[in-house]
């Protein structure tokens, strides 16, 4: 393999690794960002303090599903006033971090 092909291969591998790491999000940052989720989704033990109706369990949910759901609320493709407000306040990195943390919890 020539040096230029080797170098190109190394650069492509590094870029793929960086993209993959970014896609997983930062679990610790996500833990800090989920403080508003706890009240309704009741992550510890799935008991919500408020409201008193069924709220989906999100701890242990699939990473890709969580990302898609939060982006859906953000864009208005999913309809729920409270979640729309939450979604609008999140950056793409926030969504990935939150999804990484929640997906890593044991349901």
């Amino acid at each position: 393999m020539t040096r230029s092909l080797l170098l190109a291969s190394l650069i492509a591998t590094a870029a793929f690794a960086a993209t993959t790491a970014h896609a997983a999000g930062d679990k610790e940052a996500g833990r800090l960002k989920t403080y508003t989720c706890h009240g309704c989704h009741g992550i510890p033990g799935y008991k919500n303090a408020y409201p008193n109706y069924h709220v989906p369990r999100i701890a242990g949910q699939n990473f890709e599903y969580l990302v898609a759901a939060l982006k859906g609320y953000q864009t208005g493709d999913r309809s729920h006033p409270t979640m729309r407000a939450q979604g609008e306040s999140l950056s793409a990195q926030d969504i990935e971090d939150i999804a990484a943390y929640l997906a890593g919890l044991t349901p």
Side-chain angles (χ1 to χ4, degrees):
M1 194 181 277
T2 67
R3 285 186 187 196
S4 60
L5 285 175
L6 181 59
L7 181 59
S9 177
L10 290 172
I11 290 171
T13 302
F16 176 76
T19 302
T20 303
H22 176 72
D26 180 338
K27 289 182 182 181
E28 181 56 26
R31 183 184 68 78
L32 298 173
K33 295 173 184 178
T34 60
Y35 65 93
T36 61
C37 307
H38 292 267
C40 295
H41 289 280
I43 296 165
Y46 302 118
K47 293 183 178 151
N48 56 319
Y50 177 84
N52 293 323
Y53 56 84
H54 174 72
V55 177
R57 295 177 181 172
I58 56 176
Q61 185 59 266
N62 178 280
F63 173 83
E64 289 81 13
Y65 172 82
L66 290 166
V67 169
L70 288 170
K71 286 182 179 180
Y73 288 121
Q74 189 176 53
T75 62
D77 290 340
R78 293 185 82 159
S79 177
H80 189 279
T82 302
M83 287 304 301
R84 174 78 193 258
Q86 291 294 321
E88 288 176 340
S89 71
L90 300 173
S91 70
Q93 186 63 55
D94 291 338
I95 289 173
E96 288 187 4
D97 294 346
I98 289 168
Y101 171 69
L102 292 172
L105 295 175
T106 302

